Amino acid sequence: MVEKLYRDYKDKFGGNINSYFGWLYLSKKYDLPVEELEDVISFNENKSGIDAYYIDRKLKYLYLYQFKWSDECSDFKDNLLRLRDQGLGVIFNTESYNLTKFEKRLQSQLQDNSDVINKVVLCLVYNGDVEEARNSQILKSLCEDLESKKYLIDDFFGGTQVSFTIQFSSNETRNVQEIVQNITTYRYTIDFSSSLRLQNSNNELLNIGFIRLSDLRSMYKQMKYRFFDKNIRFGLSPDNPPNKSIMKSLDNIIIGKETTAEFAFNHNGITLYVERIELNGEKAEIVEPRILNGAQTVTVFDNFITSRETDKEMARKLKQLNDIRVICKIISQASPEFVTNVTICTNKQNPVEPWNLRASDFIQLQFDDKFRRELGVFYERQENAFQAFLDTDPDSIPVSKEKAVQIRKLAQTFLALQGEVEKISRLSDLFENDGLYYNTFRKSYLDADARLILLSYKIQYRLPSIIKEIQDRGQTKYAYINRARNLIWCLLAQGVLNDNISNRLAERFGGSLTMENDYADYLKDMASRRIRPIISELTEDPLYQRQMENNIFTFFRTKAVFAKCMDIAANRFGWQKCSI
């Protein structure tokens, strides 16, 4: 039916198959002839990220639609990006400059029916499983970004309580799943004294002043981890040196050894991103705050108070902490890329590893979805995210609670599969160099069998015992073998992929992060019967013998030696370099 509608009308309206899917879908849903719905379809004018709209005057709902004639929920990504970056601002704006015909019609309908609408629903309709869409980390991230734009809807309706929800609908099963419910716009009026303002050439805005720690704590208590969703961490141990220093200062204030003013002198400050800020003397109204730097200060401050407020005598003393202020930089009018760069540059008090800075890249969100969808395994992109998940709501996502795949170790696994021996121990360079990074986290791996990835990932668990197994075969002969640790990982990964029972291995051992005894025995046997002879033949080469006689073992960490080993493996065992 979609294809027929497309053939009949494509010459008149243009557009692609998604538009005609949406047109037919709305006709069926609202029991109207397609001819009556021509004006609510964007066809080839989808600049704002909206494919269609419909105002249900009976329910008082405005439906904004995106349609995908596909069973892949990730196909919504580009439309959601357009909607986040400019679409909502275009739709819920009274100005009509440079609008498409579709956008002008939508704006006109909104203005004519603004007193009727009390709910806005963003509907994403496709042919796939709505549960998969609900669990997608990419879509969750983009929908959370859209949450923070709800203030545009609030402003359009003049402060009237208009709710906003996002839902996925399946054309195949007719199931509907709301990914975000009862979206609230978080607005706070805060003390913001001694403020200064700076604007750069790209119109990003910076306000600097003093903010109360108690106000930041209130935001955190209300918004919870949404307050931290642009930060690189979920939290650090309270035993971390800077955090211990904060605890000590708070104790000193309570017992009178320090004043509340001294805290600001000794603290590096807080950085926030907000969707909007309005200054009024010593007050500021901020919309949708997100903490970019200072999450540790807020969580330590909250833990300090929470752990002591049940003691009545101590609770009275805690009130003096309400006077603590810190320097605060508030950034607004900034793109997501700019905000990410600020986050990276400001998180220096607690050391930041390069892989932390890649935690929210789209490729990482896609691997997050892959491991959850295909294996039910948690992918720990953000530092300490797995523990935070276990501590807060472990039943919210159907994944194993035993272990998590870690971003750093996954990178090493991909390098092992590629035979990049020398890069396995140089991860800082990899995560800081875009070319190396994207060559390691290849898009092709998103289509690979996740079980095979996990088989290679789990090899690292048994490398110490495998090395010992080889050493035990000839303690003097293989005394050097520990220097070849990463080379052995690379060769074992190739051994698994070259084995004609690799599919059976994937079925038996590739479904979880548990290191099964049978798989451990298999790897030891592979090391003894295949890897040991390969390395033994390699070291018989006069070139490498001379280096070893001079206590030079760096050649074990080169890609050239991996290639040499694969040549030996090809001659001895018929191996070929395999990918997943």
Side-chain angles (χ1 to χ4, degrees), residues 278-531:
E278 293 182 7
L279 299 176
N280 184 13
E282 298 285 287
K283 299 285 186 180
E285 182 179 280
I286 57 176
V287 178
E288 289 294 327
R290 298 292 190 275
I291 196 159
L292 307 183
N293 170 247
Q296 312 310 316
T297 299
V298 175
T299 52
V300 169
F301 184 67
D302 176 61
N303 290 337
F304 185 90
I305 292 177
T306 302
S307 64
R308 291 163 174 79
E309 61 188 357
T310 53
D311 184 323
K312 291 184 179 179
E313 183 178 349
M314 181 59 72
R316 287 194 296 271
K317 294 180 180 180
L318 290 173
K319 291 180 180 178
Q320 60 188 302
L321 300 182
N322 291 335
D323 294 329
I324 294 178
R325 297 171 185 262
V326 292
I327 296 171
C328 182
K329 296 191 294 185
I330 300 181
I331 296 163
S332 58
Q333 298 178 193
S335 67
E337 294 75 19
F338 186 87
V339 172
T340 297
N341 187 60
V342 171
T343 306
I344 292 170
C345 293
T346 55
N347 278 276
K348 299 298 184 184
Q349 185 174 358
N350 284 310
V352 181
E353 299 292 354
W355 42 87
N356 296 144
L357 306 177
R358 298 285 190 174
S360 296
D361 287 355
F362 269 120
I363 192 72
Q364 298 302 335
L365 296 174
Q366 288 173 291
F367 278 114
D368 193 318
D369 285 350
K370 181 178 181 66
F371 286 119
R372 179 177 289 115
R373 181 179 65 250
E374 297 182 22
L375 301 176
V377 171
F378 191 96
Y379 180 39
E380 190 173 46
R381 301 174 286 107
Q382 293 169 290
E383 188 177 357
N384 296 325
F386 187 52
Q387 189 57 52
F389 160 72
L390 294 177
D391 290 344
T392 53
D393 196 5
D395 298 322
S396 63
I397 307 173
V399 297
S400 169
K401 312 301 187 296
E402 295 177 359
K403 290 182 179 178
V405 172
Q406 296 177 334
I407 184 172
R408 181 176 62 84
K409 292 181 177 179
L410 181 63
Q412 291 177 313
T413 300
F414 288 149
L415 291 172
L417 285 163
Q418 295 164 22
E420 298 284 0
V421 187
E422 74 279 9
K423 292 174 184 169
I424 292 176
S425 57
R426 291 167 46 205
L427 286 185
S428 294
D429 294 344
L430 184 152
F431 281 94
E432 291 173 346
N433 182 297
D434 284 349
L436 294 176
Y437 171 72
Y438 286 110
N439 191 51
T440 301
F441 288 94
R442 298 174 182 176
K443 287 186 177 180
S444 61
Y445 291 157
L446 294 171
D447 298 322
D449 187 336
R451 300 173 304 171
L452 291 176
I453 296 175
L454 223 59
L455 285 180
S456 299
Y457 184 92
K458 288 160 63 169
I459 290 172
Q460 64 191 292
Y461 295 160
R462 283 293 179 266
L463 281 175
S465 59
I466 287 168
I467 289 170
K468 186 176 184 302
E469 179 80 11
I470 296 174
Q471 284 177 329
D472 290 346
R473 291 300 182 106
Q475 294 185 1
T476 303
K477 183 177 180 181
Y478 297 110
Y480 58 82
I481 199 67
N482 195 51
R483 310 293 185 96
R485 183 183 188 278
N486 291 337
L487 177 62
I488 293 172
W489 189 357
C490 296
L491 293 173
L492 280 170
Q494 288 299 317
V496 170
L497 295 178
N498 274 276
D499 198 322
N500 56 15
I501 65 165
S502 59
N503 287 332
R504 271 190 285 158
L505 293 173
E507 288 179 13
R508 291 186 63 193
F509 310 126
S512 79
L513 284 164
T514 301
M515 175 50 82
E516 301 86 353
N517 290 333
D518 287 351
Y519 186 47
D521 291 341
Y522 168 85
L523 292 174
K524 284 185 178 181
D525 183 64
M526 171 77 71
S528 179
R529 293 189 304 106
R530 295 286 189 264
I531 309 305

Side-chain angles (χ1 to χ4, degrees), residues 240-259:
N240 187 273
N243 296 345
K244 289 173 69 175
S245 178
I246 292 171
M247 296 283 279
K248 183 178 179 181
S249 291
L250 296 174
D251 268 326
N252 286 342
I253 290 170
I254 284 181
I255 64 177
K257 288 181 66 176
E258 291 182 24
T259 66

